[in-house]
PDB file of all heavy atoms in Angstrom:
ATOM      1  N   ARG Y   4      71.938 -98.477  22.399  1.00  0.00           N
ATOM      2  CA  ARG Y   4      70.823 -97.912  21.638  1.00  0.00           C
ATOM      3  C   ARG Y   4      71.358 -97.072  20.491  1.00  0.00           C
ATOM      4  O   ARG Y   4      72.301 -96.301  20.645  1.00  0.00           O
ATOM      5  CB  ARG Y   4      69.952 -97.036  22.534  1.00  0.00           C
ATOM      6  CG  ARG Y   4      69.173 -97.842  23.525  1.00  0.00           C
ATOM      7  CD  ARG Y   4      68.136 -96.980  24.215  1.00  0.00           C
ATOM      8  NE  ARG Y   4      67.541 -97.754  25.274  1.00  0.00           N
ATOM      9  CZ  ARG Y   4      67.556 -97.406  26.548  1.00  0.00           C
ATOM     10  NH1 ARG Y   4      68.103 -96.276  26.915  1.00  0.00           N
ATOM     11  NH2 ARG Y   4      66.997 -98.172  27.448  1.00  0.00           N
ATOM     12  N   GLU Y   5      70.713 -97.225  19.355  1.00  0.00           N
ATOM     13  CA  GLU Y   5      71.101 -96.435  18.184  1.00  0.00           C
ATOM     14  C   GLU Y   5      70.616 -95.004  18.385  1.00  0.00           C
ATOM     15  O   GLU Y   5      69.482 -94.774  18.797  1.00  0.00           O
ATOM     16  CB  GLU Y   5      70.475 -97.023  16.927  1.00  0.00           C
ATOM     17  CG  GLU Y   5      70.933 -96.357  15.674  1.00  0.00           C
ATOM     18  CD  GLU Y   5      70.387 -97.037  14.426  1.00  0.00           C
ATOM     19  OE1 GLU Y   5      69.828 -98.127  14.519  1.00  0.00           O
ATOM     20  OE2 GLU Y   5      70.539 -96.441  13.360  1.00  0.00           O
ATOM     21  N   THR Y   6      71.470 -94.074  18.121  1.00  0.00           N
ATOM     22  CA  THR Y   6      71.101 -92.666  18.228  1.00  0.00           C
ATOM     23  C   THR Y   6      71.409 -91.969  16.910  1.00  0.00           C
ATOM     24  O   THR Y   6      72.250 -92.417  16.140  1.00  0.00           O
ATOM     25  CB  THR Y   6      71.861 -91.952  19.355  1.00  0.00           C
ATOM     26  OG1 THR Y   6      73.250 -92.038  19.082  1.00  0.00           O
ATOM     27  CG2 THR Y   6      71.568 -92.555  20.715  1.00  0.00           C
ATOM     28  N   ILE Y   7      70.703 -90.893  16.708  1.00  0.00           N
ATOM     29  CA  ILE Y   7      70.940 -90.065  15.527  1.00  0.00           C
ATOM     30  C   ILE Y   7      71.339 -88.689  16.028  1.00  0.00           C
ATOM     31  O   ILE Y   7      70.678 -88.126  16.894  1.00  0.00           O
ATOM     32  CB  ILE Y   7      69.682 -89.965  14.653  1.00  0.00           C
ATOM     33  CG1 ILE Y   7      69.325 -91.337  14.115  1.00  0.00           C
ATOM     34  CG2 ILE Y   7      69.886 -88.967  13.531  1.00  0.00           C
ATOM     35  CD1 ILE Y   7      68.022 -91.371  13.356  1.00  0.00           C
ATOM     36  N   LYS Y   8      72.396 -88.174  15.497  1.00  0.00           N
ATOM     37  CA  LYS Y   8      72.847 -86.843  15.889  1.00  0.00           C
ATOM     38  C   LYS Y   8      72.730 -85.916  14.689  1.00  0.00           C
ATOM     39  O   LYS Y   8      73.134 -86.264  13.590  1.00  0.00           O
ATOM     40  CB  LYS Y   8      74.288 -86.890  16.388  1.00  0.00           C
ATOM     41  CG  LYS Y   8      74.433 -87.695  17.649  1.00  0.00           C
ATOM     42  CD  LYS Y   8      75.839 -87.674  18.164  1.00  0.00           C
ATOM     43  CE  LYS Y   8      75.912 -88.525  19.411  1.00  0.00           C
ATOM     44  NZ  LYS Y   8      77.194 -88.432  20.067  1.00  0.00           N
ATOM     45  N   LEU Y   9      72.170 -84.754  14.930  1.00  0.00           N
ATOM     46  CA  LEU Y   9      72.040 -83.735  13.893  1.00  0.00           C
ATOM     47  C   LEU Y   9      72.831 -82.516  14.334  1.00  0.00           C
ATOM     48  O   LEU Y   9      72.759 -82.115  15.490  1.00  0.00           O
ATOM     49  CB  LEU Y   9      70.571 -83.335  13.716  1.00  0.00           C
ATOM     50  CG  LEU Y   9      69.605 -84.444  13.341  1.00  0.00           C
ATOM     51  CD1 LEU Y   9      68.177 -83.940  13.417  1.00  0.00           C
ATOM     52  CD2 LEU Y   9      69.912 -84.940  11.947  1.00  0.00           C
ATOM     53  N   SER Y  10      73.532 -81.940  13.418  1.00  0.00           N
ATOM     54  CA  SER Y  10      74.269 -80.735  13.791  1.00  0.00           C
ATOM     55  C   SER Y  10      73.273 -79.580  13.918  1.00  0.00           C
ATOM     56  O   SER Y  10      72.346 -79.442  13.117  1.00  0.00           O
ATOM     57  CB  SER Y  10      75.353 -80.420  12.772  1.00  0.00           C
ATOM     58  OG  SER Y  10      74.905 -79.539  11.803  1.00  0.00           O
ATOM     59  N   SER Y  11      73.460 -78.778  14.939  1.00  0.00           N
ATOM     60  CA  SER Y  11      72.549 -77.653  15.155  1.00  0.00           C
ATOM     61  C   SER Y  11      72.612 -76.667  13.992  1.00  0.00           C
ATOM     62  O   SER Y  11      71.625 -76.005  13.684  1.00  0.00           O
ATOM     63  CB  SER Y  11      72.862 -76.954  16.474  1.00  0.00           C
ATOM     64  OG  SER Y  11      74.183 -76.491  16.487  1.00  0.00           O
ATOM     65  N   GLU Y  12      73.748 -76.599  13.334  1.00  0.00           N
ATOM     66  CA  GLU Y  12      73.882 -75.700  12.181  1.00  0.00           C
ATOM     67  C   GLU Y  12      72.925 -76.097  11.061  1.00  0.00           C
ATOM     68  O   GLU Y  12      72.375 -75.237  10.380  1.00  0.00           O
ATOM     69  CB  GLU Y  12      75.322 -75.735  11.658  1.00  0.00           C
ATOM     70  CG  GLU Y  12      76.324 -75.190  12.653  1.00  0.00           C
ATOM     71  CD  GLU Y  12      77.748 -75.616  12.327  1.00  0.00           C
ATOM     72  OE1 GLU Y  12      77.957 -76.352  11.341  1.00  0.00           O
ATOM     73  OE2 GLU Y  12      78.642 -75.219  13.073  1.00  0.00           O
ATOM     74  N   ARG Y  13      72.710 -77.392  10.884  1.00  0.00           N
ATOM     75  CA  ARG Y  13      71.833 -77.865   9.802  1.00  0.00           C
ATOM     76  C   ARG Y  13      70.363 -77.624  10.095  1.00  0.00           C
ATOM     77  O   ARG Y  13      69.567 -77.455   9.184  1.00  0.00           O
ATOM     78  CB  ARG Y  13      72.056 -79.351   9.543  1.00  0.00           C
ATOM     79  CG  ARG Y  13      73.398 -79.621   8.897  1.00  0.00           C
ATOM     80  CD  ARG Y  13      73.507 -81.033   8.436  1.00  0.00           C
ATOM     81  NE  ARG Y  13      72.622 -81.238   7.272  1.00  0.00           N
ATOM     82  CZ  ARG Y  13      72.388 -82.407   6.732  1.00  0.00           C
ATOM     83  NH1 ARG Y  13      72.922 -83.485   7.239  1.00  0.00           N
ATOM     84  NH2 ARG Y  13      71.592 -82.525   5.685  1.00  0.00           N
ATOM     85  N   ILE Y  14      69.975 -77.610  11.362  1.00  0.00           N
ATOM     86  CA  ILE Y  14      68.545 -77.506  11.681  1.00  0.00           C
ATOM     87  C   ILE Y  14      68.123 -76.126  12.171  1.00  0.00           C
ATOM     88  O   ILE Y  14      66.941 -75.841  12.246  1.00  0.00           O
ATOM     89  CB  ILE Y  14      68.117 -78.573  12.702  1.00  0.00           C
ATOM     90  CG1 ILE Y  14      68.868 -78.390  14.021  1.00  0.00           C
ATOM     91  CG2 ILE Y  14      68.326 -79.967  12.154  1.00  0.00           C
ATOM     92  CD1 ILE Y  14      68.381 -79.279  15.121  1.00  0.00           C
ATOM     93  N   ARG Y  15      69.054 -75.260  12.491  1.00  0.00           N
ATOM     94  CA  ARG Y  15      68.723 -73.951  13.057  1.00  0.00           C
ATOM     95  C   ARG Y  15      67.802 -73.109  12.185  1.00  0.00           C
ATOM     96  O   ARG Y  15      66.984 -72.358  12.696  1.00  0.00           O
ATOM     97  CB  ARG Y  15      69.986 -73.144  13.376  1.00  0.00           C
ATOM     98  CG  ARG Y  15      70.522 -73.349  14.734  1.00  0.00           C
ATOM     99  CD  ARG Y  15      69.516 -72.962  15.808  1.00  0.00           C
ATOM    100  NE  ARG Y  15      69.654 -73.879  16.930  1.00  0.00           N
ATOM    101  CZ  ARG Y  15      68.702 -74.175  17.789  1.00  0.00           C
ATOM    102  NH1 ARG Y  15      67.515 -73.646  17.701  1.00  0.00           N
ATOM    103  NH2 ARG Y  15      68.908 -75.017  18.763  1.00  0.00           N
ATOM    104  N   SER Y  16      67.902 -73.231  10.888  1.00  0.00           N
ATOM    105  CA  SER Y  16      67.051 -72.404  10.032  1.00  0.00           C
ATOM    106  C   SER Y  16      65.605 -72.905  10.025  1.00  0.00           C
ATOM    107  O   SER Y  16      64.708 -72.207   9.567  1.00  0.00           O
ATOM    108  CB  SER Y  16      67.604 -72.368   8.606  1.00  0.00           C
ATOM    109  OG  SER Y  16      67.606 -73.655   8.039  1.00  0.00           O
ATOM    110  N   TYR Y  17      65.361 -74.093  10.553  1.00  0.00           N
ATOM    111  CA  TYR Y  17      64.015 -74.658  10.582  1.00  0.00           C
ATOM    112  C   TYR Y  17      63.359 -74.601  11.957  1.00  0.00           C
ATOM    113  O   TYR Y  17      62.145 -74.693  12.069  1.00  0.00           O
ATOM    114  CB  TYR Y  17      64.042 -76.132  10.139  1.00  0.00           C
ATOM    115  CG  TYR Y  17      64.675 -76.330   8.789  1.00  0.00           C
ATOM    116  CD1 TYR Y  17      65.973 -76.806   8.663  1.00  0.00           C
ATOM    117  CD2 TYR Y  17      63.974 -76.022   7.635  1.00  0.00           C
ATOM    118  CE1 TYR Y  17      66.556 -76.991   7.422  1.00  0.00           C
ATOM    119  CE2 TYR Y  17      64.546 -76.197   6.382  1.00  0.00           C
ATOM    120  CZ  TYR Y  17      65.841 -76.677   6.293  1.00  0.00           C
ATOM    121  OH  TYR Y  17      66.410 -76.847   5.061  1.00  0.00           O
ATOM    122  N   VAL Y  18      64.164 -74.490  13.002  1.00  0.00           N
ATOM    123  CA  VAL Y  18      63.677 -74.534  14.387  1.00  0.00           C
ATOM    124  C   VAL Y  18      63.846 -73.157  15.017  1.00  0.00           C
ATOM    125  O   VAL Y  18      64.894 -72.525  14.845  1.00  0.00           O
ATOM    126  CB  VAL Y  18      64.474 -75.586  15.195  1.00  0.00           C
ATOM    127  CG1 VAL Y  18      64.005 -75.654  16.631  1.00  0.00           C
ATOM    128  CG2 VAL Y  18      64.375 -76.950  14.539  1.00  0.00           C
ATOM    129  N   PRO Y  19      62.836 -72.687  15.751  1.00  0.00           N
ATOM    130  CA  PRO Y  19      62.987 -71.388  16.426  1.00  0.00           C
ATOM    131  C   PRO Y  19      64.242 -71.344  17.300  1.00  0.00           C
ATOM    132  O   PRO Y  19      64.542 -72.293  18.023  1.00  0.00           O
ATOM    133  CB  PRO Y  19      61.715 -71.286  17.268  1.00  0.00           C
ATOM    134  CG  PRO Y  19      60.712 -72.132  16.544  1.00  0.00           C
ATOM    135  CD  PRO Y  19      61.511 -73.264  15.974  1.00  0.00           C
ATOM    136  N   LYS Y  20      64.967 -70.264  17.220  1.00  0.00           N
ATOM    137  CA  LYS Y  20      66.242 -70.116  17.940  1.00  0.00           C
ATOM    138  C   LYS Y  20      66.094 -70.205  19.460  1.00  0.00           C
ATOM    139  O   LYS Y  20      66.998 -70.639  20.143  1.00  0.00           O
ATOM    140  CB  LYS Y  20      66.911 -68.800  17.564  1.00  0.00           C
ATOM    141  CG  LYS Y  20      67.374 -68.761  16.131  1.00  0.00           C
ATOM    142  CD  LYS Y  20      68.112 -67.476  15.835  1.00  0.00           C
ATOM    143  CE  LYS Y  20      68.515 -67.273  14.417  1.00  0.00           C
ATOM    144  NZ  LYS Y  20      68.562 -68.354  13.503  1.00  0.00           N
ATOM    145  N   LYS Y  21      64.932 -69.824  19.974  1.00  0.00           N
ATOM    146  CA  LYS Y  21      64.742 -69.818  21.428  1.00  0.00           C
ATOM    147  C   LYS Y  21      64.507 -71.216  22.006  1.00  0.00           C
ATOM    148  O   LYS Y  21      64.511 -71.384  23.216  1.00  0.00           O
ATOM    149  CB  LYS Y  21      63.562 -68.913  21.797  1.00  0.00           C
ATOM    150  CG  LYS Y  21      62.237 -69.399  21.253  1.00  0.00           C
ATOM    151  CD  LYS Y  21      61.112 -68.456  21.589  1.00  0.00           C
ATOM    152  CE  LYS Y  21      59.811 -69.008  20.984  1.00  0.00           C
ATOM    153  NZ  LYS Y  21      58.692 -68.166  21.268  1.00  0.00           N
ATOM    154  N   TYR Y  22      64.331 -72.239  21.161  1.00  0.00           N
ATOM    155  CA  TYR Y  22      64.047 -73.587  21.645  1.00  0.00           C
ATOM    156  C   TYR Y  22      65.281 -74.230  22.266  1.00  0.00           C
ATOM    157  O   TYR Y  22      66.377 -74.144  21.722  1.00  0.00           O
ATOM    158  CB  TYR Y  22      63.561 -74.475  20.496  1.00  0.00           C
ATOM    159  CG  TYR Y  22      62.102 -74.309  20.148  1.00  0.00           C
ATOM    160  CD1 TYR Y  22      61.342 -73.248  20.604  1.00  0.00           C
ATOM    161  CD2 TYR Y  22      61.470 -75.234  19.336  1.00  0.00           C
ATOM    162  CE1 TYR Y  22      60.017 -73.104  20.257  1.00  0.00           C
ATOM    163  CE2 TYR Y  22      60.141 -75.111  18.986  1.00  0.00           C
ATOM    164  CZ  TYR Y  22      59.417 -74.046  19.459  1.00  0.00           C
ATOM    165  OH  TYR Y  22      58.103 -73.914  19.118  1.00  0.00           O
ATOM    166  N   ASN Y  23      65.067 -74.917  23.393  1.00  0.00           N
ATOM    167  CA  ASN Y  23      66.153 -75.685  24.003  1.00  0.00           C
ATOM    168  C   ASN Y  23      66.209 -77.057  23.318  1.00  0.00           C
ATOM    169  O   ASN Y  23      65.455 -77.326  22.379  1.00  0.00           O
ATOM    170  CB  ASN Y  23      65.963 -75.804  25.517  1.00  0.00           C
ATOM    171  CG  ASN Y  23      64.698 -76.564  25.892  1.00  0.00           C
ATOM    172  OD1 ASN Y  23      64.224 -77.443  25.174  1.00  0.00           O
ATOM    173  ND2 ASN Y  23      64.137 -76.215  27.038  1.00  0.00           N
ATOM    174  N   ALA Y  24      67.074 -77.941  23.785  1.00  0.00           N
ATOM    175  CA  ALA Y  24      67.279 -79.239  23.129  1.00  0.00           C
ATOM    176  C   ALA Y  24      65.998 -80.076  23.115  1.00  0.00           C
ATOM    177  O   ALA Y  24      65.654 -80.676  22.093  1.00  0.00           O
ATOM    178  CB  ALA Y  24      68.407 -79.998  23.809  1.00  0.00           C
ATOM    179  N   LYS Y  25      65.285 -80.133  24.218  1.00  0.00           N
ATOM    180  CA  LYS Y  25      64.044 -80.924  24.297  1.00  0.00           C
ATOM    181  C   LYS Y  25      62.981 -80.358  23.366  1.00  0.00           C
ATOM    182  O   LYS Y  25      62.309 -81.102  22.656  1.00  0.00           O
ATOM    183  CB  LYS Y  25      63.539 -80.946  25.754  1.00  0.00           C
ATOM    184  CG  LYS Y  25      62.209 -81.619  25.944  1.00  0.00           C
ATOM    185  CD  LYS Y  25      62.295 -83.108  25.731  1.00  0.00           C
ATOM    186  CE  LYS Y  25      60.974 -83.776  26.088  1.00  0.00           C
ATOM    187  NZ  LYS Y  25      60.422 -84.585  25.041  1.00  0.00           N
ATOM    188  N   GLN Y  26      62.816 -79.056  23.365  1.00  0.00           N
ATOM    189  CA  GLN Y  26      61.840 -78.422  22.482  1.00  0.00           C
ATOM    190  C   GLN Y  26      62.211 -78.650  21.015  1.00  0.00           C
ATOM    191  O   GLN Y  26      61.336 -78.869  20.182  1.00  0.00           O
ATOM    192  CB  GLN Y  26      61.753 -76.924  22.769  1.00  0.00           C
ATOM    193  CG  GLN Y  26      61.130 -76.596  24.109  1.00  0.00           C
ATOM    194  CD  GLN Y  26      61.282 -75.138  24.460  1.00  0.00           C
ATOM    195  OE1 GLN Y  26      62.358 -74.564  24.306  1.00  0.00           O
ATOM    196  NE2 GLN Y  26      60.195 -74.530  24.945  1.00  0.00           N
ATOM    197  N   THR Y  27      63.492 -78.614  20.714  1.00  0.00           N
ATOM    198  CA  THR Y  27      63.954 -78.865  19.354  1.00  0.00           C
ATOM    199  C   THR Y  27      63.634 -80.290  18.938  1.00  0.00           C
ATOM    200  O   THR Y  27      63.134 -80.529  17.839  1.00  0.00           O
ATOM    201  CB  THR Y  27      65.471 -78.599  19.237  1.00  0.00           C
ATOM    202  OG1 THR Y  27      65.715 -77.233  19.571  1.00  0.00           O
ATOM    203  CG2 THR Y  27      65.987 -78.886  17.847  1.00  0.00           C
ATOM    204  N   GLU Y  28      63.889 -81.247  19.830  1.00  0.00           N
ATOM    205  CA  GLU Y  28      63.569 -82.647  19.531  1.00  0.00           C
ATOM    206  C   GLU Y  28      62.074 -82.809  19.281  1.00  0.00           C
ATOM    207  O   GLU Y  28      61.662 -83.448  18.304  1.00  0.00           O
ATOM    208  CB  GLU Y  28      64.008 -83.544  20.682  1.00  0.00           C
ATOM    209  CG  GLU Y  28      63.715 -85.005  20.433  1.00  0.00           C
ATOM    210  CD  GLU Y  28      64.130 -85.899  21.591  1.00  0.00           C
ATOM    211  OE1 GLU Y  28      64.823 -85.432  22.511  1.00  0.00           O
ATOM    212  OE2 GLU Y  28      63.740 -87.078  21.569  1.00  0.00           O
ATOM    213  N   ASP Y  29      61.245 -82.230  20.144  1.00  0.00           N
ATOM    214  CA  ASP Y  29      59.790 -82.304  19.973  1.00  0.00           C
ATOM    215  C   ASP Y  29      59.355 -81.683  18.643  1.00  0.00           C
ATOM    216  O   ASP Y  29      58.496 -82.221  17.943  1.00  0.00           O
ATOM    217  CB  ASP Y  29      59.069 -81.609  21.129  1.00  0.00           C
ATOM    218  CG  ASP Y  29      59.237 -82.334  22.454  1.00  0.00           C
ATOM    219  OD1 ASP Y  29      59.616 -83.526  22.449  1.00  0.00           O
ATOM    220  OD2 ASP Y  29      58.987 -81.712  23.500  1.00  0.00           O
ATOM    221  N   PHE Y  30      59.944 -80.556  18.308  1.00  0.00           N
ATOM    222  CA  PHE Y  30      59.639 -79.872  17.049  1.00  0.00           C
ATOM    223  C   PHE Y  30      59.961 -80.775  15.853  1.00  0.00           C
ATOM    224  O   PHE Y  30      59.161 -80.904  14.919  1.00  0.00           O
ATOM    225  CB  PHE Y  30      60.455 -78.575  16.977  1.00  0.00           C
ATOM    226  CG  PHE Y  30      60.189 -77.753  15.750  1.00  0.00           C
ATOM    227  CD1 PHE Y  30      59.209 -76.773  15.752  1.00  0.00           C
ATOM    228  CD2 PHE Y  30      60.931 -77.938  14.589  1.00  0.00           C
ATOM    229  CE1 PHE Y  30      58.964 -76.002  14.622  1.00  0.00           C
ATOM    230  CE2 PHE Y  30      60.690 -77.182  13.454  1.00  0.00           C
ATOM    231  CZ  PHE Y  30      59.701 -76.207  13.474  1.00  0.00           C
ATOM    232  N   ILE Y  31      61.106 -81.422  15.885  1.00  0.00           N
ATOM    233  CA  ILE Y  31      61.525 -82.293  14.784  1.00  0.00           C
ATOM    234  C   ILE Y  31      60.596 -83.496  14.677  1.00  0.00           C
ATOM    235  O   ILE Y  31      60.187 -83.878  13.575  1.00  0.00           O
ATOM    236  CB  ILE Y  31      62.995 -82.724  14.961  1.00  0.00           C
ATOM    237  CG1 ILE Y  31      63.921 -81.514  14.775  1.00  0.00           C
ATOM    238  CG2 ILE Y  31      63.365 -83.849  13.993  1.00  0.00           C
ATOM    239  CD1 ILE Y  31      65.349 -81.749  15.182  1.00  0.00           C
ATOM    240  N   ILE Y  32      60.233 -84.088  15.811  1.00  0.00           N
ATOM    241  CA  ILE Y  32      59.321 -85.235  15.796  1.00  0.00           C
ATOM    242  C   ILE Y  32      57.974 -84.833  15.213  1.00  0.00           C
ATOM    243  O   ILE Y  32      57.405 -85.546  14.369  1.00  0.00           O
ATOM    244  CB  ILE Y  32      59.154 -85.828  17.209  1.00  0.00           C
ATOM    245  CG1 ILE Y  32      60.474 -86.418  17.705  1.00  0.00           C
ATOM    246  CG2 ILE Y  32      58.037 -86.861  17.251  1.00  0.00           C
ATOM    247  CD1 ILE Y  32      61.032 -87.538  16.847  1.00  0.00           C
ATOM    248  N   LYS Y  33      57.446 -83.682  15.618  1.00  0.00           N
ATOM    249  CA  LYS Y  33      56.165 -83.215  15.070  1.00  0.00           C
ATOM    250  C   LYS Y  33      56.275 -82.966  13.566  1.00  0.00           C
ATOM    251  O   LYS Y  33      55.359 -83.293  12.805  1.00  0.00           O
ATOM    252  CB  LYS Y  33      55.704 -81.946  15.781  1.00  0.00           C
ATOM    253  CG  LYS Y  33      55.167 -82.211  17.164  1.00  0.00           C
ATOM    254  CD  LYS Y  33      54.726 -80.930  17.827  1.00  0.00           C
ATOM    255  CE  LYS Y  33      54.294 -81.181  19.251  1.00  0.00           C
ATOM    256  NZ  LYS Y  33      53.921 -79.962  19.953  1.00  0.00           N
ATOM    257  N   ALA Y  34      57.387 -82.405  13.134  1.00  0.00           N
ATOM    258  CA  ALA Y  34      57.591 -82.157  11.707  1.00  0.00           C
ATOM    259  C   ALA Y  34      57.647 -83.471  10.932  1.00  0.00           C
ATOM    260  O   ALA Y  34      57.060 -83.596   9.852  1.00  0.00           O
ATOM    261  CB  ALA Y  34      58.869 -81.356  11.483  1.00  0.00           C
ATOM    262  N   LEU Y  35      58.304 -84.478  11.494  1.00  0.00           N
ATOM    263  CA  LEU Y  35      58.380 -85.778  10.835  1.00  0.00           C
ATOM    264  C   LEU Y  35      57.017 -86.454  10.777  1.00  0.00           C
ATOM    265  O   LEU Y  35      56.667 -87.075   9.761  1.00  0.00           O
ATOM    266  CB  LEU Y  35      59.389 -86.680  11.554  1.00  0.00           C
ATOM    267  CG  LEU Y  35      60.847 -86.276  11.389  1.00  0.00           C
ATOM    268  CD1 LEU Y  35      61.727 -87.063  12.354  1.00  0.00           C
ATOM    269  CD2 LEU Y  35      61.301 -86.462   9.959  1.00  0.00           C
ATOM    270  N   GLU Y  36      56.239 -86.331  11.855  1.00  0.00           N
ATOM    271  CA  GLU Y  36      54.882 -86.894  11.857  1.00  0.00           C
ATOM    272  C   GLU Y  36      54.030 -86.218  10.791  1.00  0.00           C
ATOM    273  O   GLU Y  36      53.279 -86.880  10.067  1.00  0.00           O
ATOM    274  CB  GLU Y  36      54.245 -86.738  13.236  1.00  0.00           C
ATOM    275  CG  GLU Y  36      54.869 -87.647  14.289  1.00  0.00           C
ATOM    276  CD  GLU Y  36      54.438 -87.306  15.709  1.00  0.00           C
ATOM    277  OE1 GLU Y  36      53.811 -86.236  15.936  1.00  0.00           O
ATOM    278  OE2 GLU Y  36      54.725 -88.117  16.604  1.00  0.00           O
TER     279      GLU Y  36
END
């Protein structure tokens, strides 16, 4: 399966710091939608 990896350094300024990996993924998907 093709996967996409994002460095946490690149996305940290956009995602709340308290979010775990799953919450971060959900946040990114909602932002993309």
Side-chain angles (χ1 to χ4, degrees):
R4 289 191 187 121
E5 186 175 349
T6 60
I7 296 174
K8 295 183 181 187
L9 301 171
S10 93
S11 59
E12 295 162 359
R13 289 190 71 188
I14 62 173
R15 270 300 144 206
S16 62
Y17 305 102
V18 180
K20 293 184 185 342
K21 64 182 179 180
Y22 279 14
N23 63 30
K25 175 70 173 125
Q26 291 170 315
T27 300
E28 180 181 349
D29 292 342
F30 182 91
I31 292 169
I32 295 300
K33 285 180 185 177
L35 290 169
E36 289 169 349

